[in-house]
Amino acid sequence: MGTEKNILVIGGDGFCGWPTALHLSKLGHKVTIIDNLSRRWIDQKMGADSLTPLATIEDRLAAWTECSGKTIDFESIDVAREFDRLTAFLTALQPDTIVHFGEQRAAPYSMKGVAEKRYTVDNNISGTHNILAAVIELGLDPHIVHLGTMGVYGYDDDGLEIPEGYLSVFVPVNGQMMVQRDILYPTNPGSVYHMTKSMDQLLFQFYAKNNKLRITDLHQGIVWGTQTEDTKLDERLINRFDYDGDYGTVLNRFLMQAVVGHPLTVHGTGGQTRAFIHIQDTVRCLQLAIENPPARLGTVNILNQMTETHTVRDLAQLVSQVSGAEIAFVDNPRKEAAENDLRVSNETFLGFGLEPTTLAEGLLEETQDIAAKYAHRCIPEMIPCVSVWTADQRPGVLKDAA
Ligand code: NAD
Ligand code: USQ
């Protein structure tokens, strides 16, 4: 190919990282995964499990070599806590690109209790900072591609189309002349997890300015679906499917609930509008972002990685139409706007040639091939969302007590 890169995928055992590592390997890149397998340990601690049966990382990698003839190397390093091992590893690897998926990514888990809040902040902020500090300390010059979130923008519902990372503001000087500034879009996180992603943005802004690092921050919407072309090749390559109340994301939860006969758990009125992207499009966007590194401008390249927006209520209705499932409107355990509109610019990825997989195309296949096939693995007690945003939302707590 001639453009093969040496790519390090941090968090490459996870839901987005694993199919991305396979896709990049298939394209001919040399791919190495760092992951501390913390996501698997969290499942064990909570008594939860992926709906799909996950092979061990060793079996996953062996299966990939059997199916593709290619090798992906793996190293278990905690990037938040093992700085010296990280720097030694980077010194030996000398990556051209570092893709950073390695964070605690569930909003409800980050709000579960004080231990989970502290873990999420320590893990995500230290991990991101360690990667940046290590790269600078070693004098490396990789393109760093980070998975951020649409949630940093918040859901203010002011009718504006959300731009790609920056907002142009016009500031009056001496009450007359207007000076234009492009500022980071003001963050408005809705959970401790989303707050860590807002803080990541400042770390990137500083090191892009100070050390002229080339950084792409992908503000991704909610990822749905399970399989990609590559993870379908062998059952040992199957991707993770989270459905539990902390890690399951809304559409995948609804698909699983429909096949096990559980009413679809719409929070509040279901008027929350969110951005979505299929997992196959996630891996394609990563490829496009890696193939189009930013110039060394001293600013962070921020791209919105999403393809469609839907309300939670509309998603429930869609799944109900396909499956006949009942819809239940339940108390919302979160603090979020009950109803909001959302318009998002995703023009960069469309300009790079992304052809979105739409919900209408993928929904039925996902329901039949994954949710129905593995429904017998569902642990019903793990379905309810029990993490609440504030103590007064706990079941049984009297509201407005005099
Ligand atoms: P995931 O939990 O499945 O994967 C994250 C991986 O990172 C796990 O394998 C975990 O073991 C590893 N990890 C976590 N902390 C680590 C550490 N300190 N050192 C080494 N490895 C560590 O999550 P995901 O769904 O694949 O998400 C990946 C990234 O994409 C996250 O940063 C998340 O914020 C972002 N994102 C995800 C979604 C989504 O819907 N899943 C949407 C938008 C953005
Ligand atoms: N919701 C329900 N019923 C459920 C589960 C969720 O109505 O059973 C609602 C939530 O209240 C929320 C919406 O669905 O309004 C989305 O919740 P989610 O859990 O699907 O998504 P979220 O918490 O926002 O987080 C997920 C990923 C996170 C990523 C984020 C992208 O876990 O890593 O950053 O999506 S975004 O939403 O664009 O910020």
Side-chain angles (χ1 to χ4, degrees):
M1 186 166 71
T3 52
E4 296 90 356
K5 292 182 194 290
N6 180 4
I7 303 177
L8 174 61
V9 180
I10 297 175
D13 185 50
F15 169 60
C16 298
W18 173 244
T20 300
L22 298 188
H23 182 68
L24 296 172
S25 173
K26 179 179 73 182
L27 293 176
H29 299 295
K30 172 176 157 38
V31 176
T32 305
I33 290 175
I34 282 183
D35 199 303
N36 66 349
L37 307 184
S38 51
R39 181 67 196 85
R40 293 182 187 238
W41 283 107
I42 290 173
D43 263 353
Q44 282 191 9
K45 194 177 77 182
M46 296 196 306
D49 201 356
S50 163
L51 192 69
T52 47
L54 298 187
T56 62
I57 184 69
E58 292 78 12
D59 288 348
R60 279 182 151 187
L61 296 171
W64 178 242
T65 302
E66 272 177 45
C67 291
S68 68
K70 295 176 187 300
T71 305
I72 296 178
D73 292 326
F74 169 75
E75 190 73 14
S76 175
I77 299 178
D78 183 333
V79 297
R81 296 165 61 158
E82 297 182 293
F83 185 72
D84 293 345
R85 288 193 61 221
L86 176 65
T87 52
F89 194 78
L90 289 175
T91 305
L93 188 68
Q94 301 277 315
D96 301 312
T97 309
I98 298 179
V99 187
H100 176 25
F101 292 101
E103 299 185 66
Q104 192 300 99
R105 70 110 180 113
Y109 186 77
S110 78
M111 302 301 290
K112 204 172 186 61
V114 68
E116 289 81 3
K117 286 178 183 167
R118 296 185 64 235
Y119 166 69
T120 302
V121 169
D122 292 349
N123 186 64
N124 294 4
I125 306 296
S126 291
T128 299
H129 189 257
N130 281 348
I131 294 163
L132 293 164
V135 159
I136 289 155
E137 184 65 14
L138 299 171
L140 303 179
D141 183 29
H143 172 205
I144 297 174
V145 182
H146 171 251
L147 269 291
T149 172
M150 285 296 305
V152 297
Y153 299 120
Y155 299 101
D156 263 349
D157 199 12
D158 49 16
L160 287 180
E161 181 182 71
I162 295 181
E164 300 203 271
Y166 298 95
L167 186 65
S168 289
V169 296
F170 295 88
V171 187
V173 177
N174 298 332
Q176 287 189 1
M177 192 179 65
M178 298 291 260
V179 175
Q180 185 185 340
R181 289 273 183 281
D182 285 341
I183 59 168
L184 267 181
Y185 195 94
T187 65
N188 183 11
S191 70
V192 166
Y193 154 71
H194 287 98
M195 181 180 73
T196 64
K197 293 288 184 175
S198 301
M199 294 162 87
D200 278 348
Q201 285 202 106
L202 292 179
L203 300 177
F204 294 133
Q205 186 185 43
F206 173 73
Y207 283 109
K209 180 185 69 166
N210 195 62
N211 300 83
K212 299 289 180 287
L213 290 185
R214 291 167 304 143
I215 301 171
T216 298
D217 198 3
L218 302 172
H219 287 190
Q220 184 170 239
I222 301 170
V223 182
W224 69 280
T226 311
Q227 296 282 63
T228 62
E229 289 159 17
D230 308 311
T231 62
K232 280 181 194 164
L233 291 174
D234 186 298
E235 204 182 25
R236 290 166 298 167
L237 299 174
I238 203 164
N239 201 15
R240 162 179 283 287
F241 185 124
D242 292 314
Y243 67 90
D244 63 273
D246 280 337
Y247 275 89
T249 51
V250 64
L251 180 53
N252 281 9
R253 273 172 64 74
F254 287 172
L255 292 171
M256 175 279 306
Q257 290 170 347
V259 300
V260 301
H262 192 286
L264 311 183
T265 53
V266 172
H267 292 168
T269 62
Q272 308 92 317
T273 310
R274 295 292 182 268
F276 291 85
I277 182 166
H278 189 269
I279 185 71
Q280 183 70 55
D281 291 346
T282 290
V283 305
R284 173 87 176 125
C285 285
L286 263 297
Q287 174 194 344
L288 293 168
I290 291 166
E291 287 172 357
N292 294 278
R296 206 179 300 281
L297 297 175
T299 53
V300 180
N301 181 35
I302 301 178
L303 310 182
N304 291 337
Q305 185 164 310
M306 49 70 67
T307 57
E308 34 187 334
T309 60
H310 295 277
T311 63
V312 167
R313 188 169 50 224
D314 286 351
L315 289 180
Q317 274 158 4
L318 206 61
V319 174
S320 171
Q321 276 159 19
V322 174
S323 63
E326 266 178 57
I327 299 178
F329 292 90
V330 301
D331 282 350
N332 194 342
R334 307 188 184 200
K335 289 213 173 220
E336 58 187 0
E339 308 263 333
N340 69 287
D341 283 331
L342 181 63
R343 290 195 305 124
V344 181
S345 167
N346 62 346
E347 62 185 29
T348 307
F349 275 122
L350 296 180
F352 286 160
L354 177 69
E355 289 171 12
T357 309
T358 62
L359 224 66
E361 290 167 51
L363 212 53
L364 207 57
E365 183 188 340
E366 184 68 22
T367 314
Q368 286 163 353
D369 293 358
I370 295 294
K373 182 169 178 194
Y374 297 106
H376 62 280
R377 288 175 47 87
C378 170
I379 306 167
E381 303 77 54
M382 299 312 299
I383 296 177
C385 290
V386 291
S387 295
V388 288
W389 262 229
T390 53
D392 62 358
Q393 291 171 296
R394 292 211 176 97
V397 173
L398 284 179
K399 303 207 170 76
D400 303 317

